[in-house]
Amino acid sequence: MITLEYYLILAAALFCIGLFGAVAKKNAVAVLMSIELMLNSVNINLVAFNRFLAPSQLVGHVFAIFVIVVAAAEVAVGLAIVISIYRDRFSTEVDNLDWLKW
Amino acid sequence: MLELAWLIPIFPLIAYTLIIFLTKKSKSISVAVALAGIVASLVISIGVLVETIQKGITMAEPFEVAVKWLRLSAIDKYTGLNIDMGILIDPLSAVMMFVVTSIATLVIIYSVGYMHGDPGFSRYFAYMSLFAFSMLLLVIANNFFEMFFGWELVGLCSYLLIGFWFEKPSAAKAANKAFITNRWGDFGFMLGIILLYINFGTFNFGEISRIIGDGASGVGAAILTLISLLIFAGPMAKSAQFPLHVWLPDAMEGPTPVSSILHAATMVAAGVYLLARGFVLFNESTETLLFIAYIGGITAFIAASFALVQRDIKRILAYSTLSQLGYMVMVIGVGSITAGMFHLTTHAFFKCMLFLGAGSVIHAVHTQDIFEMGGLSKKMPITTWTFIIGALALAGIFPLSGFWSKDEILLATHQAGFTGLYWLATLVAGMTAFYMFRLIFIAFFGEKRTDHHAHESSPWMTVPLIILAFFAVFSGWGLVKMGYGSMVFFGHPHHGEINLGIALISTVFALGGIVLAWLIYYRKIVDTDLMKQRFRPIYNLLWNKLYIDEIYEWLFDKVMLGVAWLCNQCDRKVVDGIADGLGDTVRHTGGWMRFMQTGSLQNYALVIFGAIVIIVLLMATPVLGGVIR
């Protein structure tokens, strides 16, 4: 029997992988992909809670769809920024993107 | 005429304004304007004096008119400020105004001859008019504040006139010295009247004496002493009392008629006049009166001793003025404003004449050193004879004016019980006679020492001398006959009967001085150079005026500049240190803190995540079994 805990553990693991990727990866595209991972782990949480706590309602699903839409928009904007940075600097290394400081 | 009294100071002011703004280009019109202004004032002040005597206006019931000038109402605990501009006519101010206007008129007439051909001719007469205005404003004032106004203006005018030939460095220096020395006194005077207003709530002379007379002032004796001492600082500087006397001899750098008016009627008389006018205050404090009396006595003595050895004709006269001012201050200190003002009046005439005579001599021989003159009596008879009359009056020889006033002073001092001061003053009378006749025997008699072509001066200069000689001879006797003692007094009228003993002693001293001068400088029974050698230390001390100027220089260079250096360091190091240090601390902290902004995307992400974790943990504390404080 697969209970709620398994889903939550899976989501937590996925979130941690995503977080590690977002903080540690050098490539800006990889960072964006890691953020997708984190968002999707949240989606798993939402859908799982919906299934186990209130199966008659679709609140969790609706939320998840919202997140997917926002994520899609975010990726579109993010990739556009990455591309324009790349055109300017010929690099997508996040470490080099530190000119917005003192 | 009394209603017109307010015009007395106004006329010279109008003359000044006209000359400065309109007639400066034309010398003759400027002179005419200045003369017209001062003569108009003279006419009115004679009228006022006559009417004062006729109507029987007394010191206790003066004629007073005032307009409101400044009104600041009281707010909360702060008292308001009420300042009037008014006129106060009593015998004291009426006599004083007559002295000021008559002497100013004569000096202006004389100046026409003396300043002939000077490039600053019109400017000179403008300043003279302003000088007369300031002094008249001071004299006519009915309250301390208005008097202070005139007081400061007099100081300004003396600065302008002493430094009239400002292209000469010595004149510019002397003007500065006079102004700065006076500033010390004025500062005390100002503090005094502020303190006075705080305690009495009025500047008005009459009201102050009424409050004190009622004995209901509620002002402590210590405060009154402080106020009167502070106010006395003003006369100390303006009437050149020891130790603030240093500016007066240097004031000789101005044109000679300026010295004449400065020494006789305007500048230095202001201090004595203030002492007489505010006597009700000084009278309240025995300590202050004692201080005034001894300062006056000391000044009279040391100035007379300086005059014994000077060579410059104007300097000898300057020290004699100092000495005579010492007399006046001293006698006011012992409690007789009658004698002080009486001597001020007679002294004004003969000292003015002596200075104008000296100016006439200098004009003729172009030197101020008496040892370079000699034998002038044949060339300049009018100057010589008027000068001798002035010297006799100054020495106090019967029946010239100086005799009456000097006798009054000695009598008042003796009667008040100041035996020490009395003998000092008598000694000074002898010294005065000696140095004046030393000057006369050296400069006017004997053989011609250098090749000078002296000639009598023009009538512009000799006529004022003759008029002043008349006053110098008769003003003393005349004023006694007019009952000066029952006109100008404080408290009870002072009947100055001639005391035969005192008159005899002072006359003996004076004649002794003259005879001594005659023996030493005319008959030459002793060699003066030998005496100079034998008493070298004393001679040096007197010649260098007790080194007071040098002491002041040292004080300024070492003490004052030292304190200034200390203040400067304190400002730079401590005050600026705190302000700059604060700024530096903030700047450095910021400079160090800015490294927190790495600019690296992932750093920020990590910080955001860490912050969220902390917030969630805090929010979850109750669930996890913790306690929120």
Side-chain angles (χ1 to χ4, degrees):
Chain A
M1 179 67 183
I2 297 174
T3 56
L4 180 60
E5 282 80 6
Y6 292 95
Y7 290 100
L8 294 187
I9 288 165
L10 171 68
L14 207 55
F15 186 85
C16 288
I17 292 166
L19 180 66
F20 174 76
V23 173
K25 291 305 272 185
K26 281 194 163 187
N27 196 311
V29 179
V31 172
L32 281 176
M33 283 159 68
S34 310
I35 290 170
E36 284 309 304
L37 277 185
M38 288 158 78
L39 288 167
N40 280 318
S41 73
V42 174
N43 283 347
I44 291 172
N45 264 5
L46 289 170
V47 175
F49 276 123
N50 191 60
R51 164 69 183 76
F52 286 96
L53 297 182
S56 59
Q57 289 169 320
L58 290 175
V59 193
H61 295 128
V62 173
F63 236 117
I65 287 166
F66 260 113
V67 172
I68 288 165
V69 171
V70 170
E74 179 240 304
V75 166
V77 174
L79 278 176
I81 293 174
V82 169
I83 286 165
S84 78
I85 288 175
Y86 182 76
R87 281 186 185 149
D88 191 39
R89 304 251 149 179
F90 303 109
S91 158
T92 54
E93 294 250 325
V94 193
D95 285 355
N96 294 341
L97 306 183
D98 60 351
W99 344 298
L100 271 181
K101 63 170 183 187
W102 34 273
Chain B
M1 273 302 194
L2 283 181
E3 291 72 26
L4 295 178
W6 62 277
L7 284 169
I8 297 175
I10 300 296
F11 281 125
L13 181 64
I14 294 173
Y16 165 74
T17 322
L18 281 178
I19 295 172
I20 283 290
F21 289 108
L22 292 176
T23 69
K24 211 173 164 185
K25 292 276 185 301
S26 160
K27 289 183 175 183
S28 47
I29 298 178
S30 296
V31 169
V33 168
L35 259 178
I38 198 68
V39 167
S41 292
L42 176 62
V43 168
I44 299 181
S45 48
I46 290 174
V48 166
L49 182 61
V50 168
E51 202 166 319
T52 308
I53 297 167
Q54 279 175 351
K55 283 197 176 168
I57 292 175
T58 62
M59 298 295 284
E61 286 154 0
F63 175 81
E64 189 176 351
V65 183
V67 290
K68 293 174 173 51
W69 186 66
L70 182 67
R71 283 281 178 279
L72 296 178
S73 49
I75 302 167
D76 295 341
K77 62 185 175 180
Y78 303 105
T79 46
L81 189 62
N82 297 325
I83 299 173
D84 289 341
M85 281 287 148
I87 59 169
L88 178 69
I89 305 291
D90 59 6
L92 180 62
S93 58
V95 171
M96 193 70 195
M97 277 190 298
F98 171 68
V99 172
V100 173
T101 48
S102 57
I103 285 184
T105 309
L106 291 170
V107 169
I108 284 179
I109 293 171
Y110 176 93
S111 303
V112 176
Y114 191 86
M115 298 300 287
H116 182 74
D118 193 279
F121 196 75
S122 303
R123 185 165 57 94
Y124 174 83
F125 286 97
Y127 288 165
M128 275 299 204
S129 299
L130 187 64
F131 209 174
F133 158 71
S134 322
M135 187 64 193
L136 289 168
L137 179 71
L138 186 157
V139 171
I140 209 168
N142 78 331
N143 60 65
F144 272 108
F145 193 88
E146 191 182 346
M147 195 173 188
F148 187 67
F149 222 93
W151 188 269
E152 289 294 317
L153 276 172
V154 166
L156 170 74
C157 293
S158 68
Y159 168 79
L160 291 173
L161 283 168
I162 292 168
F164 184 74
W165 289 317
F166 53 81
E167 64 278 0
K168 262 201 316 192
S170 58
K173 255 188 194 160
N176 279 333
K177 191 172 178 182
F179 198 70
I180 292 166
T181 313
N182 270 293
R183 205 103 306 270
W184 283 85
D186 296 351
F187 185 61
F189 185 22
M190 191 170 70
L191 285 183
I193 59 173
I194 291 172
L195 205 57
L196 184 82
Y197 191 84
I198 291 172
N199 283 291
F200 286 89
T202 176
F203 287 124
N204 190 291
F205 296 125
E207 280 174 40
I208 288 169
S209 61
R210 222 164 295 133
I211 293 170
I212 289 178
D214 290 348
S217 62
V219 181
I223 291 283
L224 269 171
T225 305
L226 182 63
I227 292 175
S228 49
L229 278 178
L230 281 171
I231 291 181
F232 179 57
M236 252 168 101
K238 198 125 291 185
S239 288
Q241 296 299 300
F242 175 82
L244 293 180
H245 63 274
V246 289
W247 66 271
L248 193 57
D250 287 26
M252 296 297 108
E253 289 296 336
T256 306
V258 171
S259 312
S260 166
I261 195 169
L262 199 113
H263 281 255
T266 50
M267 186 82 175
V268 296
V272 179
Y273 180 77
L274 169 63
L275 284 181
R277 180 53 84 200
F279 191 72
V280 64
L281 265 177
F282 300 109
N283 195 36
E284 283 303 293
S285 163
T286 23
E287 292 85 358
T288 310
L289 280 184
L290 261 182
F291 183 69
I292 294 174
Y294 278 100
I295 285 288
I298 291 168
T299 310
F301 179 72
I302 64 164
S305 63
F306 295 163
L308 294 176
V309 298
Q310 299 299 318
R311 300 169 65 98
D312 183 322
I313 184 169
K314 282 170 83 179
R315 271 185 190 268
I316 296 174
L317 292 177
Y319 282 114
S320 89
T321 306
L322 270 178
S323 171
Q324 301 304 309
L325 285 167
Y327 264 155
M328 299 172 207
V329 170
M330 178 189 82
V331 81
I332 290 180
V334 304
S336 170
I337 70 165
T338 312
M341 288 307 293
F342 188 20
H343 196 55
L344 176 69
T345 311
T346 56
H347 172 260
F349 291 119
F350 58 71
K351 184 51 63 64
C352 180
M353 184 175 80
L354 285 171
F355 265 108
L356 295 185
S360 175
V361 170
I362 295 165
H363 201 68
V365 300
H366 300 290
T367 176
Q368 304 200 358
D369 191 335
I370 52 171
F371 287 98
E372 291 176 13
M373 296 170 184
L376 293 174
S377 57
K378 294 188 189 68
K379 301 274 178 56
M380 312 175 70
I382 301 175
T383 308
T384 307
W385 282 109
T386 49
F387 205 92
I388 290 173
I389 289 172
L392 285 171
L394 180 57
I397 302 296
F398 182 83
L400 280 75
S401 59
F403 167 78
W404 303 91
S405 55
K406 188 166 285 182
D407 187 71
E408 192 86 340
I409 287 177
L410 296 173
L411 182 64
T413 315
H414 189 68
Q415 279 179 347
F418 288 87
T419 319
L421 280 180
Y422 163 70
W423 283 110
L424 190 73
T426 311
L427 179 64
V428 170
M431 286 159 78
T432 309
F434 177 77
Y435 65 68
M436 281 317 293
F437 278 86
R438 167 178 176 264
L439 163 63
I440 286 176
F441 287 128
I442 293 173
F444 291 96
F445 295 99
E447 75 281 13
K448 211 162 115 175
R449 285 184 195 78
T450 49
D451 190 30
H452 55 67
H453 303 284
H455 55 87
E456 189 57 272
S457 305
S458 70
W460 282 108
M461 289 160 79
T462 48
V463 168
L465 280 175
I466 295 166
I467 298 171
L468 281 166
F470 173 80
F471 277 114
V473 174
F474 294 109
S475 67
W477 180 76
L479 283 171
V480 168
K481 280 288 157 239
M482 270 165 63
Y484 190 81
S486 50
M487 276 165 59
V488 177
F489 58 85
F490 177 80
H492 308 289
H494 169 76
H495 288 295
E497 299 297 326
I498 292 297
N499 183 315
L500 209 63
I502 285 171
L504 213 61
I505 291 171
S506 75
T507 309
V508 166
F509 267 83
L511 286 175
I514 294 173
V515 170
L516 202 61
W518 181 71
L519 286 175
I520 295 175
Y521 293 102
Y522 193 72
R523 298 294 303 275
K524 300 212 170 55
I525 55 159
V526 288
D527 190 356
T528 46
D529 287 331
L530 204 72
M531 267 179 34
K532 218 184 275 180
Q533 287 301 332
R534 189 164 301 167
F535 300 104
R536 176 62 55 184
I538 300 178
Y539 177 81
N540 276 347
L541 207 61
L542 293 180
W543 174 251
N544 290 305
K545 300 148 246 160
L546 291 179
Y547 296 97
I548 288 171
D549 279 328
E550 281 75 10
I551 292 171
Y552 282 167
E553 219 156 89
W554 180 83
L555 276 176
F556 179 78
D557 275 357
K558 295 288 180 309
V559 180
M560 219 161 101
L561 288 188
V563 172
W565 179 84
L566 211 68
C567 290
N568 184 16
Q569 291 299 313
C570 179
D571 189 43
R572 273 166 201 269
K573 297 278 152 68
V574 179
V575 178
D576 279 10
I578 291 172
D580 288 354
L582 210 67
D584 280 352
T585 313
V586 171
R587 204 153 51 90
H588 285 133
T589 317
W592 174 71
M593 298 266 278
R594 70 179 178 178
F595 294 108
M596 279 170 61
Q597 304 285 332
T598 55
S600 154
L601 212 59
Q602 289 165 322
N603 246 339
Y604 295 162
L606 197 62
V607 171
I608 292 169
F609 178 70
I612 289 174
V613 168
I614 290 168
I615 290 169
V616 168
L617 276 179
L618 275 177
M619 288 168 75
T621 317
V623 184
L624 298 174
V627 186
I628 289 186
R629 259 175 297 151

